[in-house]
């Protein structure tokens, strides 16, 4: 391709007016900033732009021939929808160059309101395959900020196949979890990483332990900060970025000072211009590189741009960590809600359905024998367990049929090119299996399922369904049931269920993932690198991370090598089912349980739900049921987000 100065957009972060002026003066082609509402940087009260200043900022940028993108990129609860509608109306009148959005509801609202402002998919949408891109293009998305785990070669192929504009982070603070798929801060602190208030538990110190014994394991990491990603810096790889077809080079840092942003923008501006002017004769300016090194906060990494970086991307020592936003705290236990009582919904017809997610045939049989209506199989499987095969899936359907239970096959939450290829082939085999339905984990998997299957479709919790407009969008895309966000509190759940046009399912018990990452934690800290020849013996032991509050967070490495980091406590809402009875559909996440425990938990939840259905007005919870589960559970039990009235 022939390069011009317009071939690459240098996109700078802006938090205040002085940074806006500095970024533009330094040579940014575009800037991105947030209003005082609905964006991913909500902690600093002096940051972001009020409604009047937003208009002035847009005028200022346009006078200087600079594009301005407004971030509207957090999840939205039902109580916030009216405010969002008025905000979108204002932004459409102010005419920024784009809105950067996360919540699927904004795609639906944009259609309903006939918005004219272009829409870009935030990195929080976790867009990582061509099928998701095509679905987003159908809703008017003209650019995607692709997920951080995509390499340059992968995103180049994505652009070639879809024609979408690609925006890619090239510098700044990075998350270790797949974007939009970390709920640890939201569940533990009520401060959601998907709503602009992350308290960064990935920056805590941890110790690797044997999950079965709790005994510490000697590792090769030079410090305790096992999840602390270094900052992204692709200055030395600009030619690769440009030739990969990246449309917009995005710098992270909306909380940074004017001097800091100005220095980075000037450095990248100079390098981009030099390369475009003379690609064959270009070499990086070593003095500029040294200046970046001298002014950095954390150490630098190319992260996933050139492939999985393994241990080299982690700042284990913590010496260059500029700020620790929180320290480890105990997750909410079963006694926490004793300080307040949940409301008692009005009695309505109650016909509760119970589903159970299992890892093997023995667990499926145990769940069916104890009253499960639906069994989920498939998706991620923790090593040393093995994935479901076509043959075992056929057996699962046959066994479930004996108990009049339905089998629904789940797909992985993350589906990069490899997983998408496998899904296409798998969907062609569904006639042999004859399950009741499919549960998909992202827009790309949903698109593939629509193309290759006629089975009923459900949406997994990874869709982050937080309001009824998102549920409407999913319904419009032939989804028959959706799972409520793991971050929703009781009050938010009740509002969502009341307004939803789509049946919703709520997870009430089980081992839940706090985050999912392509970084294999055990492999990185036990070898201090990613081996070219993978050591399969690492799969024979289950590991956990021990935090400074004395809690173990199990690490479940799945068949794709991704680490699913679980909460320290298993969710248990058994005592609160009576207050949740407007939900109707309940799920137990039992894929990390033994068949015996699956059977016990299923039996007790079935008994309690049936008791509530028969005795709504006179129901009384028998605490001995809870004691049975607690005695058999491999971990302590907790109440998750029910510690809080609202997830902020």
């Amino acid at each position: 391709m022939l390069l011009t100065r317009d071939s690459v957009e240098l996109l700078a972060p802006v938090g205040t007016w002085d940074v806006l002026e500095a970024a533009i003066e330094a040579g940014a082609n575009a800037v991105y900033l947030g209003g005082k509402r609905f964006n991913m940087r909500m902690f600093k009260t002096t940051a972001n732009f009020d409604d009047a200043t937003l208009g002035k900022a847009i005028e200022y940028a346009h006078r200087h021939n600079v594009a301005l993108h407004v971030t509207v990129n957090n999840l939205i609860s039902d109580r916030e929808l009216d405010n969002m509608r008025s905000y979108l109306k204002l932004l459409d009148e102010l005419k920024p160059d784009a809105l950067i959005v996360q919540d699927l509801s904004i795609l639906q609202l944009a259609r309903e309101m006939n918005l004219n402002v272009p829409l870009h998919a935030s990195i929080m949408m976790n867009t990582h395959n061509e099928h998701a891109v095509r679905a987003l293009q159908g809703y008017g998305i003209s650019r995607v900020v692709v997920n951080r785990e995509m390499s340059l070669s992968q995103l180049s192929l994505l652009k070639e196949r879809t024609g979408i504009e690609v925006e890619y982070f090239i510098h700044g603070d990075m998350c270790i979890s797949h974007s939009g798929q970390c709920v640890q801060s939201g569940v533990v602190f009520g401060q959601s990483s998907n709503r602009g208030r992350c308290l960064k538990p990935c920056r805590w110190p941890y110790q690797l332990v044997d999950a079965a014994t709790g005994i510490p394991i000697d590792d090769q990491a030079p410090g305790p900060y096992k999840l602390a990603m270094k900052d992204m810096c692709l200055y030395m790889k600009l030619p690769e970025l440009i030739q990969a077809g990246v449309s917009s080079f995005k710098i992270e840092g909306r909380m940074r000072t004017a001097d800091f942003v100005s220095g980075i923008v000037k450095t990248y501006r100079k390098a981009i211009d030099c390369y475009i002017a003379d690609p064959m004769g270009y070499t990086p300016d070593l003095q500029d590189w040294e200046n970046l090194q001298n002014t950095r906060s954390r150490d630098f990494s190319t992260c996933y741009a050139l492939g999985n970086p393994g241990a080299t991307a982690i700042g284990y020592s913590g010496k260059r960590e500029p700020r620790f936003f929180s320290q480890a705290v105990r997750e909410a236990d079963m006694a926490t809600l004793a300080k307040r009582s949940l409301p008692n919904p009005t009695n309505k017809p109650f016909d509760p359905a119970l589903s159970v997610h299992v890892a093997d045939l023995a667990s499926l049989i145990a769940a069916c024998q104890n009253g499960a209506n639906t069994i989920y199989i498939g998706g991620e499987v923790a090593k040393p367990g093995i994935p479901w095969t076509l043959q075992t899936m056929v057996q699962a359907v046959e066994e479930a049929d004996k108990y009049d239970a339905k089998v629904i096959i789940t797909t992985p939450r993350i589906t990069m090119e490899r997983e998408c290829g496998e899904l296409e082939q798998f969907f062609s085999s569904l006639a042999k299996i004859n399950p009741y339905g499919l549960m998909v984990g992202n827009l790309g998997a949903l698109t593939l399922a629509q193309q290759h299957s006629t089975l009923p479709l459900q949406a997994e919790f990874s869709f982050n369904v937080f309001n009824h407009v998102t549920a409407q969008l999913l319904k419009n895309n032939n989804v028959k049931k959706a799972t409520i966000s793991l971050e929703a509190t009781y009050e938010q759940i009740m509002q969502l269920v009341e307004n939803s046009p789509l049946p919703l399912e709520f997870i009430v018990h089980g081992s839940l993932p706090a985050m999912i990452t392509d970084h294999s934690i055990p492999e990185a800290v036990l070898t201090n690198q990613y081996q070219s020849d993978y050591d399969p013996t690492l799969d024979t032991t289950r590991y956990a991370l021990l935090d400074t509050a004395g809690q173990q967070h199990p690490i479940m490495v799945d068949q794709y090598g991704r680490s699913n980091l679980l909460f320290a406590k298993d969710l248990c809402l058994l005592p609160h089912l009576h207050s949740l009875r407007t939900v109707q559909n309940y799920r137990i996440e039992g894929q990390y349980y033994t068949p015996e425990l699956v059977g016990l938990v299923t039996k007790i939840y079935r008994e309690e739900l049936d008791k509530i259905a028969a005795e709504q007005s006179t129901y009384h919870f028998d605490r001995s049921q809870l004691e049975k589960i607690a005695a058999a559970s491999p971990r302590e039990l907790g109440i998750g987000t029910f510690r809080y009235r609202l997830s902020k």
Side-chain angles (χ1 to χ4, degrees):
M1 61 180 176
L2 294 178
L3 298 174
T4 69
R5 201 170 190 267
D6 295 330
S7 298
V8 176
E9 174 187 86
L10 182 58
L11 179 58
V14 167
T16 55
W17 190 273
D18 63 327
V19 180
L20 174 68
E21 293 179 337
I24 291 175
E25 183 180 355
N29 303 106
V31 297
Y32 67 104
L33 51 81
K36 292 292 186 181
R37 300 170 274 176
F38 305 119
N39 78 82
M40 290 298 293
R41 295 292 185 273
M42 297 298 292
F43 274 123
K44 196 172 180 181
T45 56
T46 56
N48 301 317
F49 292 69
D50 60 31
D51 292 352
T53 314
L54 267 178
K56 294 177 182 177
I58 294 168
E59 292 175 4
Y60 181 84
H62 288 175
R63 279 203 313 272
H64 291 82
N65 296 316
V66 169
L68 188 145
H69 306 163
V70 177
T71 59
V72 193
N73 58 339
N74 57 4
L75 294 184
I76 309 153
S77 68
D78 264 66
R79 66 164 52 195
E80 296 165 326
L81 281 170
D82 287 343
N83 192 8
M84 175 57 78
R85 287 186 176 93
S86 66
Y87 188 47
L88 290 175
K89 185 175 184 296
L90 169 70
L91 291 173
D92 206 39
E93 294 168 354
L94 293 177
K95 294 181 172 54
D97 296 276
L99 303 183
I100 306 172
V101 303
Q102 174 191 183
D103 200 306
L104 293 175
S105 66
I106 296 184
L107 305 184
Q108 186 71 19
L109 292 175
R111 278 190 174 180
E112 294 174 5
M113 298 172 65
N114 294 314
L115 296 185
N116 293 310
V117 60
L119 299 179
H120 295 174
S122 167
I123 195 167
M124 301 305 293
M125 272 195 178
N126 197 244
T127 308
H128 54 264
N129 62 63
E130 62 183 279
H131 310 286
V133 167
R134 292 195 181 98
L136 292 171
Q137 287 173 315
Y139 278 91
I141 292 288
S142 57
R143 176 188 291 185
V144 295
V145 189
V146 294
N147 96 345
R148 299 177 181 93
E149 289 73 16
M150 291 194 76
S151 68
L152 296 183
S153 59
Q154 289 171 325
L155 66 85
S156 181
L157 186 62
L158 182 79
K159 180 173 182 177
E160 178 184 329
R161 289 178 173 176
T162 65
I164 195 76
E165 285 187 11
V166 171
E167 187 171 302
Y168 195 67
F169 276 100
I170 64 163
H171 196 102
D173 187 0
M174 295 290 109
C175 299
I176 194 165
S177 175
H178 275 265
S179 297
Q181 300 303 309
C182 180
V183 296
Q184 189 167 2
S185 180
V187 171
V188 174
F189 294 107
Q191 305 278 344
S192 171
S193 60
N194 296 307
R195 286 166 60 77
R197 296 181 179 274
C198 186
L199 288 177
K200 298 183 180 292
C202 59
R203 302 285 173 182
W204 294 345
Y206 294 97
Q207 185 173 31
L208 187 72
V209 299
D210 185 304
T213 65
I215 296 174
I217 295 174
D218 290 334
D219 60 54
Q220 303 299 312
Y225 297 93
K226 303 290 194 289
L227 305 176
M229 286 285 283
K230 296 177 182 177
D231 281 358
M232 166 74 91
C233 180
L234 290 179
Y235 175 78
M236 299 298 283
K237 302 297 178 182
L238 281 177
E240 290 92 330
L241 273 165
I242 294 173
Q243 293 299 334
V246 176
S247 306
S248 179
F249 289 10
K250 188 169 193 173
I251 299 168
E252 184 278 333
R254 285 199 288 125
M255 299 295 100
R256 297 291 194 174
T257 65
D259 287 344
F260 187 88
V261 171
S262 176
I264 293 174
V265 172
K266 285 178 180 177
T267 300
Y268 278 96
R269 174 79 279 151
K270 176 183 172 183
I272 292 169
D273 290 348
C274 286
Y275 180 78
I276 289 175
D278 184 7
M280 293 289 287
Y282 172 80
T283 55
D285 187 311
L286 296 184
Q287 182 60 56
D288 285 346
W289 171 242
E290 185 177 342
N291 291 339
L292 286 175
Q293 291 279 351
N294 291 338
T295 57
R296 74 192 187 280
S297 294
R298 303 179 184 92
D299 287 333
F300 288 147
S301 168
T302 56
C303 297
Y304 289 87
L306 306 179
N308 197 321
T312 64
I314 306 299
Y316 290 106
S317 71
K319 292 179 180 178
R320 299 198 66 91
E321 193 64 38
R323 177 185 175 188
F324 293 98
F325 282 74
S326 65
Q327 60 184 8
V329 299
R330 301 288 296 178
E331 294 174 11
D333 59 27
M334 297 303 295
T336 306
L337 264 184
K339 300 173 185 176
R340 65 183 180 95
S341 59
L342 297 179
N344 195 0
T346 305
N347 289 344
K348 293 181 179 180
F350 184 53
D351 184 20
L354 180 62
S355 63
V356 185
H357 190 176
V358 301
D360 52 46
L361 277 171
S363 297
L364 176 142
I365 293 170
C368 290
Q369 289 176 338
N370 287 283
N373 304 104
T374 300
I375 307 294
Y376 294 119
I377 64 174
E380 295 90 359
V381 176
K383 298 176 180 179
I386 59 174
W388 290 81
T389 65
L390 295 178
Q391 181 180 355
T392 52
M393 287 183 177
V394 170
Q395 291 177 273
V397 173
E398 292 173 350
E399 288 293 337
D401 283 346
K402 297 176 184 177
Y403 302 91
D404 293 323
K406 302 170 182 175
V407 169
I408 292 177
I409 297 175
T410 66
T411 63
R413 285 175 286 150
I414 307 301
T415 50
M416 306 288 267
E417 186 180 2
R418 169 198 162 175
E419 292 89 348
C420 286
E422 292 174 352
L423 279 180
E424 287 190 74
Q425 184 166 347
F426 171 71
F427 289 155
S428 68
S429 304
L430 287 173
K432 304 174 187 175
I433 302 169
N434 196 30
Y436 176 78
L438 291 171
M439 182 157 67
V440 295
N442 60 69
L443 273 178
L446 173 59
T447 302
L448 275 174
Q450 289 170 328
Q451 293 171 352
H452 298 283
S453 172
T454 58
L455 291 172
L457 302 177
Q458 294 183 201
E460 180 58 292
F461 59 77
S462 43
F463 275 85
N464 289 327
V465 177
F466 212 69
N467 63 71
H468 77 272
V469 178
T470 297
Q472 181 64 60
L473 180 143
L474 292 173
K475 183 179 181 180
N476 294 347
N477 283 275
N478 204 34
V479 172
K480 304 303 181 186
K481 185 187 294 182
T483 313
I484 296 171
S485 165
L486 297 180
E487 293 185 290
T489 64
Y490 175 81
E491 287 85 349
Q492 290 163 332
I493 291 165
M494 290 299 103
Q495 271 194 309
L496 172 55
V497 171
E498 180 182 353
N499 297 315
S500 177
L502 188 67
L504 299 174
E505 183 169 80
F506 182 53
I507 298 172
V508 292
H509 194 100
S511 305
L512 301 180
M515 65 178 75
I516 181 170
T517 172
D518 277 9
H519 180 71
S520 178
I521 302 165
E523 189 177 354
V525 301
L526 292 174
T527 66
N528 207 26
Q529 61 183 342
Y530 279 177
Q531 303 287 340
S532 56
D533 295 320
Y534 179 65
D535 182 1
T537 61
L538 292 175
D539 297 337
T540 61
T541 302
R542 288 269 175 91
Y543 302 95
L545 291 180
L546 178 68
D547 66 29
T548 55
Q551 301 174 120
Q552 286 188 37
H553 303 262
I555 306 166
M556 299 300 184
V557 179
D558 63 30
Q559 66 268 44
Y560 304 106
R562 298 189 177 99
S563 295
N564 298 259
L565 190 70
L566 306 187
F567 286 103
K569 288 184 171 68
D570 282 6
L571 180 68
C572 178
L573 297 178
L574 183 70
H576 311 294
L577 291 179
H578 190 247
S579 297
L580 284 163
R581 63 187 184 278
T582 56
V583 176
Q584 302 286 350
N585 299 291
Y586 305 86
R587 191 201 307 178
I588 296 166
E589 284 290 298
Q591 72 273 37
Y592 303 126
Y593 287 169
T594 63
E596 293 75 20
L597 184 55
V598 167
L600 174 67
V601 174
T602 304
K603 180 176 184 292
I604 290 174
Y605 272 85
R606 180 79 274 166
E607 289 173 351
E608 290 304 302
L609 289 170
D610 290 346
K611 186 178 174 184
I612 293 169
E615 308 169 5
Q616 284 200 48
S617 57
T618 59
Y619 170 80
H620 176 73
F621 176 62
D622 180 358
R623 290 198 65 83
S624 68
Q625 296 280 62
L626 175 62
E627 291 166 1
K628 292 175 189 175
I629 294 179
S633 177
R635 285 172 286 281
E636 290 184 58
L637 303 177
I639 59 169
T641 58
F642 276 39
R643 168 186 259 171
Y644 304 103
R645 293 190 181 278
L646 296 175
S647 176
K648 295 180 181 179

Short mmCIF file of all heavy atoms in Angstrom, two decimals, residues 427-444:
data_model
loop_
_atom_site.label_atom_id
_atom_site.label_comp_id
_atom_site.label_asym_id
_atom_site.label_seq_id
_atom_site.Cartn_x
_atom_site.Cartn_y
_atom_site.Cartn_z
N PHE A 427 -20.31 -27.34 14.63
CA PHE A 427 -21.73 -27.08 14.34
C PHE A 427 -22.24 -28.01 13.24
O PHE A 427 -23.43 -28.35 13.21
CB PHE A 427 -21.94 -25.62 13.96
CG PHE A 427 -21.79 -24.65 15.11
CD1 PHE A 427 -21.44 -23.32 14.88
CD2 PHE A 427 -22.00 -25.07 16.41
CE1 PHE A 427 -21.31 -22.43 15.93
CE2 PHE A 427 -21.86 -24.18 17.48
CZ PHE A 427 -21.51 -22.85 17.23
N SER A 428 -21.35 -28.41 12.32
CA SER A 428 -21.78 -29.32 11.26
C SER A 428 -22.07 -30.72 11.79
O SER A 428 -22.69 -31.54 11.10
CB SER A 428 -20.72 -29.39 10.16
OG SER A 428 -19.55 -30.05 10.64
N SER A 429 -21.60 -31.01 13.02
CA SER A 429 -21.80 -32.34 13.62
C SER A 429 -22.98 -32.38 14.58
O SER A 429 -23.23 -33.43 15.20
CB SER A 429 -20.54 -32.76 14.37
OG SER A 429 -19.40 -32.74 13.53
N LEU A 430 -23.71 -31.28 14.73
CA LEU A 430 -24.75 -31.22 15.75
C LEU A 430 -25.88 -32.22 15.51
O LEU A 430 -26.51 -32.69 16.46
CB LEU A 430 -25.32 -29.80 15.83
CG LEU A 430 -24.39 -28.76 16.49
CD1 LEU A 430 -24.99 -27.37 16.37
CD2 LEU A 430 -24.15 -29.11 17.94
N ALA A 431 -26.14 -32.55 14.24
CA ALA A 431 -27.22 -33.50 13.93
C ALA A 431 -26.94 -34.86 14.56
O ALA A 431 -27.88 -35.58 14.95
CB ALA A 431 -27.40 -33.63 12.43
N LYS A 432 -25.65 -35.20 14.69
CA LYS A 432 -25.30 -36.48 15.31
C LYS A 432 -25.55 -36.46 16.82
O LYS A 432 -25.80 -37.49 17.43
CB LYS A 432 -23.82 -36.80 15.05
CG LYS A 432 -23.40 -36.81 13.59
CD LYS A 432 -21.89 -36.98 13.48
CE LYS A 432 -21.41 -36.82 12.04
NZ LYS A 432 -19.92 -36.87 11.96
N ILE A 433 -25.48 -35.27 17.40
CA ILE A 433 -25.57 -35.16 18.86
C ILE A 433 -27.01 -34.93 19.30
O ILE A 433 -27.47 -35.48 20.30
CB ILE A 433 -24.67 -34.01 19.34
CG1 ILE A 433 -23.23 -34.24 18.90
CG2 ILE A 433 -24.75 -33.85 20.85
CD1 ILE A 433 -22.32 -33.05 19.11
N ASN A 434 -27.71 -34.08 18.56
CA ASN A 434 -29.11 -33.76 18.83
C ASN A 434 -29.34 -33.17 20.22
O ASN A 434 -30.19 -33.63 20.98
CB ASN A 434 -29.99 -35.00 18.64
CG ASN A 434 -31.46 -34.64 18.53
OD1 ASN A 434 -31.81 -33.57 18.06
ND2 ASN A 434 -32.34 -35.52 18.99
N PRO A 435 -28.59 -32.11 20.59
CA PRO A 435 -28.85 -31.46 21.87
C PRO A 435 -30.11 -30.59 21.77
O PRO A 435 -30.64 -30.36 20.68
CB PRO A 435 -27.61 -30.59 22.06
CG PRO A 435 -27.21 -30.23 20.66
CD PRO A 435 -27.53 -31.45 19.82
N TYR A 436 -30.53 -30.06 22.91
CA TYR A 436 -31.71 -29.18 22.92
C TYR A 436 -31.35 -27.80 22.38
O TYR A 436 -32.17 -27.15 21.72
CB TYR A 436 -32.27 -29.05 24.33
CG TYR A 436 -33.42 -28.08 24.41
CD1 TYR A 436 -34.69 -28.45 23.99
CD2 TYR A 436 -33.23 -26.77 24.87
CE1 TYR A 436 -35.75 -27.56 24.04
CE2 TYR A 436 -34.28 -25.88 24.93
CZ TYR A 436 -35.54 -26.27 24.51
OH TYR A 436 -36.59 -25.38 24.56
N GLY A 437 -30.12 -27.32 22.66
CA GLY A 437 -29.76 -25.97 22.22
C GLY A 437 -28.28 -25.70 22.38
O GLY A 437 -27.49 -26.58 22.74
N LEU A 438 -27.91 -24.46 22.07
CA LEU A 438 -26.52 -24.00 22.17
C LEU A 438 -26.47 -22.75 23.04
O LEU A 438 -27.34 -21.88 22.94
CB LEU A 438 -25.97 -23.65 20.78
CG LEU A 438 -25.73 -24.77 19.78
CD1 LEU A 438 -25.39 -24.18 18.42
CD2 LEU A 438 -24.61 -25.68 20.27
N MET A 439 -25.43 -22.64 23.87
CA MET A 439 -25.18 -21.40 24.61
C MET A 439 -23.85 -20.83 24.13
O MET A 439 -22.82 -21.49 24.21
CB MET A 439 -25.15 -21.62 26.11
CG MET A 439 -24.94 -20.31 26.88
SD MET A 439 -25.53 -20.36 28.58
CE MET A 439 -24.40 -21.56 29.27
N VAL A 440 -23.88 -19.60 23.62
CA VAL A 440 -22.70 -18.99 23.01
C VAL A 440 -22.13 -17.92 23.92
O VAL A 440 -22.84 -17.32 24.73
CB VAL A 440 -23.03 -18.41 21.61
CG1 VAL A 440 -23.39 -19.52 20.64
CG2 VAL A 440 -24.16 -17.39 21.69
N GLY A 441 -20.82 -17.66 23.73
CA GLY A 441 -20.11 -16.77 24.64
C GLY A 441 -19.78 -15.40 24.12
O GLY A 441 -19.33 -14.54 24.88
N ASN A 442 -19.98 -15.15 22.81
CA ASN A 442 -19.69 -13.82 22.27
C ASN A 442 -20.43 -13.64 20.95
O ASN A 442 -21.00 -14.59 20.41
CB ASN A 442 -18.18 -13.62 22.10
CG ASN A 442 -17.55 -14.64 21.16
OD1 ASN A 442 -17.80 -14.62 19.96
ND2 ASN A 442 -16.74 -15.55 21.70
N LEU A 443 -20.39 -12.42 20.42
CA LEU A 443 -21.14 -12.12 19.19
C LEU A 443 -20.68 -12.95 18.00
O LEU A 443 -21.48 -13.32 17.15
CB LEU A 443 -21.00 -10.63 18.84
CG LEU A 443 -21.99 -9.66 19.47
CD1 LEU A 443 -21.65 -8.24 19.05
CD2 LEU A 443 -23.42 -10.00 19.09
N GLY A 444 -19.38 -13.23 17.95
CA GLY A 444 -18.88 -14.04 16.84
C GLY A 444 -19.43 -15.44 16.87
O GLY A 444 -19.86 -15.99 15.84
#
